[in-house]
Amino acid sequence: MSDIAKLQIGDNQYEFPLITGTENEVAIDIKTLRGATGGVTTIDPGYKNTGSCQSAITFLNGEEGILRYRGYSIEELAEKADFLEVAYALIFGELPTKEQLEKFHSDIKDKSIVDDDIKKIIDAFPKNAHPMGVLSSLTSALTAFNPSSVNVDSEEDMYNSVVKILGKFPVLVAWTMRKKQGLPLNYGSKSLGYVENVLKMMFEQPNEEYVQNEVLVNALDKLLILHADHEQNCSTSTVRIVGSSHAGLFASLSAGISALWGPLHGGANQAVLEMLEAIKEDGGDTKKYMAKAKDKNDPFRLMGFGHRVYKNFDPRAKIIKVAADEVLKELGVNDPILDIAKGLEQEALNDEYFVKRKLYPNVDFYSGIIYRAMGIPVEMFTVMFALGRLPGWIAQWREMRLGKEPIGRPRQVYTGENYRAFKDISNR
Ligand code: CMC
């Protein structure tokens, strides 16, 4: 194939170089388009065909259902690695040695104390505030308590910001949940692993010692790994674009959390469970909801189905489905919701509407079932997604800053009124 793309506009022809990635993805480099053509731009709503950056972090192939972080397959990472190793690999490019991992973990633990005044902010939220709104606000508020983490240019300053947020974020997650439940805001223990510490902070009761359950630790570890990065999705693109203005890491992450909140993105895990509950309450008639999902006059969508990139299967969903079975079995939970989910999946996989549009269960379809079995309230599901996605956001932000990417600033095609003279209010 030639390494040039040709564009004809009227009588003029323009040439643009092709860029080929390490997995042979080809892109037309249109950096010079506006200059060469005298201002012609491109239109691509939802950026379905637009590559916003070159990235060496995550590869995914939607047709073949492949997902790899730094070259390692998601299946192998979920089976063999732990979340902190994966976080290190995502952020710094290589799996850590034992010494590197120990130092990383120790630095994170050293930075995990959150300014006590943050509790006053938490106190000011109404108890029914959605945890994602609270988490986004608290993450942004961390900027005020850690001003040295804002203007970070050197790799050393970046490292310090990174370990700070990896240490403090789980505390904010736990406090967000505990406040809602009326429990005291506690800390974990430096002697615990990262994920064990998360569980202790979330679930420890004030009047009894928290006992770790290996099944829960493994399940959460796996879930966090599966959510850790997903290249240029809505929240990650948000983090990169906010960070491109050199707003600090915490402010960029706060924006990412808000983007993740939406039900078409990370908020789908909450929406899936609410949908499954509604189907159960309605007598378990999955066919009725399948019909609603296919009816173009009905806004209802089958939550947890479909993906912008995966058009064959979502490899994360495959792993999670197995994990959901394991966790429920180990915990002795018999959740009728799981049967409804499986029934719905079977129907959709054999339904022409879903097959034709290549709509398959995505990562969020089964994750909520595991979270629920673990005792995590439904409103916290997207917060758990954010906890998993944190290293991915950090890695993407760091890559963007080290790559000295320009500020993100898309163009538009204006379709409004042409110039018109101002009308005095008495004449309108
Ligand atoms: N239920 C029913 N129909 C659907 C669904 C669904 N869940 N998803 C897509 N469609 C239809 C859609 O109506 C359209 O039909 P038509 O061609 O007749 O107009 C066609 O499939 C293509 O859909 P689209 O909205 O153009 O596709 P998209 O790439 O813009 O959207 C999506 C992807 C994930 C937003 C969408 O599939 C969806 O809304 N799914 C439900 C929400 C969900 O589970 N989100 C979690 C995504 S995975 C976690 C994450 O990374 O955020």
Side-chain angles (χ1 to χ4, degrees), residues 48 230 233 260 263-266 268 272 293-294 296 300-309 311 314 316 353-354 357 359 362-364 385 389:
K48 290 191 179 196
H230 215 231
N233 55 82
L260 186 73
L264 299 190
H265 192 10
V272 168
K294 294 189 279 181
K296 291 289 168 204
F300 176 80
R301 279 190 166 198
L302 206 53
M303 299 314 286
F305 264 77
H307 198 274
R308 171 62 60 81
V309 184
K311 299 297 174 198
D314 180 339
R316 303 167 300 173
Y353 173 98
F354 285 86
R357 290 170 180 77
L359 302 170
N362 59 48
V363 68
D364 287 329
F385 190 153
R389 184 56 53 89

Side-chain angles (χ1 to χ4, degrees), residues 367-400:
S367 63
I369 291 169
I370 306 184
Y371 289 139
R372 188 156 92 146
M374 293 172 81
I376 298 175
V378 179
E379 281 199 324
M380 283 292 294
F381 288 2
T382 315
V383 168
M384 302 312 290
F385 190 153
L387 182 65
R389 184 56 53 89
L390 182 66
W393 287 331
I394 294 171
Q396 301 273 352
W397 170 87
R398 185 173 173 273
E399 181 181 68
M400 181 272 305

Side-chain angles (χ1 to χ4, degrees), residues 30-294:
I30 58 159
K31 280 201 283 288
T32 58
L33 176 70
R34 287 179 54 82
T37 58
V40 173
T41 196
T42 55
I43 272 284
D44 186 19
Y47 309 122
K48 290 191 179 196
N49 304 282
T50 298
S52 59
C53 59
Q54 294 188 56
S55 177
I57 300 171
T58 289
F59 171 69
L60 74 89
N61 176 325
E63 272 65 41
E64 293 177 33
I66 294 172
L67 173 60
R68 294 186 203 130
Y69 302 158
R70 299 290 188 184
Y72 299 103
S73 80
I74 194 65
E75 289 81 7
E76 245 187 312
L77 289 172
E79 193 193 325
K80 298 178 184 163
D82 72 28
F83 178 60
L84 213 54
E85 277 180 288
V86 170
Y88 187 99
L90 280 168
I91 297 168
F92 303 111
E94 296 293 339
L95 284 168
T97 61
K98 198 166 171 290
E99 292 72 33
Q100 285 170 329
L101 188 60
E102 275 168 12
K103 177 175 183 324
F104 188 47
H105 194 194
S106 154
D107 291 341
I108 289 170
K109 287 189 282 192
D110 283 348
K111 301 285 183 219
S112 61
I113 302 296
V114 171
D115 194 298
D116 223 43
D117 278 350
I118 287 270
K119 289 180 181 166
K120 294 184 195 154
I121 304 178
I122 296 179
D123 274 340
F125 281 105
K127 240 196 176 139
N128 62 357
H130 194 284
M132 282 299 274
V134 176
L135 187 67
S136 169
S137 309
L138 296 180
T139 306
S140 186
L142 279 183
T143 304
F145 292 94
N146 300 272
S148 64
S149 301
V150 180
N151 290 320
V152 287
D153 279 323
S154 70
E155 286 223 39
E156 194 192 341
D157 287 346
M158 278 188 196
Y159 180 82
N160 287 332
S161 300
V162 167
V163 290
K164 263 188 199 166
I165 194 68
L166 282 167
K168 296 180 202 306
F169 199 73
V171 179
L172 300 184
V173 165
W175 285 3
T176 301
M177 180 173 114
R178 294 179 76 87
K179 184 69 196 173
K180 238 177 142 49
Q181 297 179 327
L183 289 169
L185 307 185
N186 61 347
Y187 275 99
S189 163
K190 274 191 161 184
S191 64
L192 294 173
Y194 191 83
V195 171
E196 288 168 328
N197 200 38
V198 169
L199 287 168
K200 178 176 155 67
M201 283 194 289
M202 288 177 76
F203 293 116
E204 186 174 48
Q205 298 299 305
N207 53 357
E208 62 185 4
E209 203 184 320
Y210 181 72
V211 182
Q212 296 285 342
N213 176 332
E214 270 314 298
V215 177
L216 297 192
V217 176
N218 288 333
L220 185 57
D221 213 41
K222 206 172 267 190
L223 278 168
L224 296 179
I225 290 172
L226 294 176
H227 284 91
D229 195 44
H230 215 231
E231 51 118 302
Q232 308 313 317
N233 55 82
C234 178
S235 57
T236 302
S237 301
T238 303
V239 170
R240 282 185 90 124
I241 206 163
V242 173
S244 77
S245 74
H246 294 197
L249 173 60
F250 304 162
S252 309
L253 293 171
S254 164
I257 294 165
S258 297
L260 186 73
W261 190 359
L264 299 190
H265 192 10
N269 57 13
Q270 175 176 343
V272 168
L273 214 97
E274 286 167 352
M275 174 189 80
L276 294 173
E277 274 291 350
I279 298 175
K280 192 184 103 189
E281 293 303 309
D282 201 14
D285 185 357
T286 48
K287 291 203 166 45
K288 177 172 162 189
Y289 285 84
M290 287 288 290
K292 272 166 77 62
K294 294 189 279 181

